[in-house]
Amino acid sequence: MEVLDEFDINIIKELEKDGRMAFSAIATSLKISNTMVHQRINRLIDQGVITGIKPVINEKKIGYDWGAFTGITLNKDADSKRVIDELKEIPEITECYFITGSFTLYIKLIAKDHEHMRKLLYEKIDNIPGIAKTDSIIELGCAFKRNVTL
């Protein structure tokens, strides 16, 4: 486990406000050197604490009005790597998790409309060899999404 000090936490909090913020602006805001900000961010990336600084896309604004959470049961859990590799080839699947309980995998997928969702579920996902069953819950909107509080 990585230990974050006060400087790391404050730098991350500044980046959460605006990931495009210049290192010099972060340095000024926190009253530390630009070099320190640069070194700290590089170290946090190297350690895997920060996994990237990228845009957060509002899928609804680009025409993806439907979302679903789908539990996937496999014929054999040993097939999970191959199944995951095939799921990665479907761009509408935005997240995939190993879980406990009655499913092996749990995915989040987005679609433009109900017909697009049907095709994703029945023509793409259900046709991946090794998938025994899927069980989907339609998402009606995101109440909130955030990083853990530091």
Side-chain angles (χ1 to χ4, degrees), residues 120-140:
L120 288 169
L121 290 168
Y122 298 147
E123 296 176 18
K124 290 194 176 183
I125 296 169
D126 280 352
N127 285 325
I128 295 173
I131 292 183
K133 180 181 106 152
T134 61
D135 189 5
S136 296
I137 301 167
I138 299 299
E139 172 236 316
L140 298 176

Side-chain angles (χ1 to χ4, degrees), residues 8-100:
D8 295 330
I9 291 168
N10 288 332
I11 289 168
I12 291 169
K13 285 181 177 180
E14 290 296 314
L15 287 173
E16 282 185 316
K17 292 178 200 170
D18 180 1
R20 299 175 301 165
M21 183 180 277
F23 290 177
S24 58
I26 295 171
T28 301
S29 173
L30 300 179
K31 297 177 179 49
I32 57 178
S33 75
N34 191 27
T35 302
M36 182 179 185
V37 171
H38 190 70
Q39 289 172 341
R40 292 292 184 118
I41 290 173
N42 284 339
R43 182 178 50 78
L44 291 167
I45 290 169
D46 290 344
Q47 292 174 338
V49 174
I50 296 176
T51 59
I53 299 171
K54 49 193 162 202
V56 177
I57 297 171
N58 180 340
E59 291 112 353
K60 302 233 184 274
K61 295 281 188 186
I62 59 170
Y64 288 87
D65 287 332
W66 281 61
F69 297 94
T70 300
I72 298 175
T73 304
L74 302 181
N75 290 324
K76 293 184 291 189
D77 286 352
D79 287 341
S80 63
K81 172 151 180 17
R82 184 189 46 74
V83 170
I84 289 167
D85 287 343
E86 291 198 48
L87 292 170
K88 284 180 184 175
E89 297 300 314
I90 302 171
E92 294 91 347
I93 298 175
T94 59
E95 299 175 52
C96 180
Y97 298 92
F98 292 104
I99 60 168
T100 62

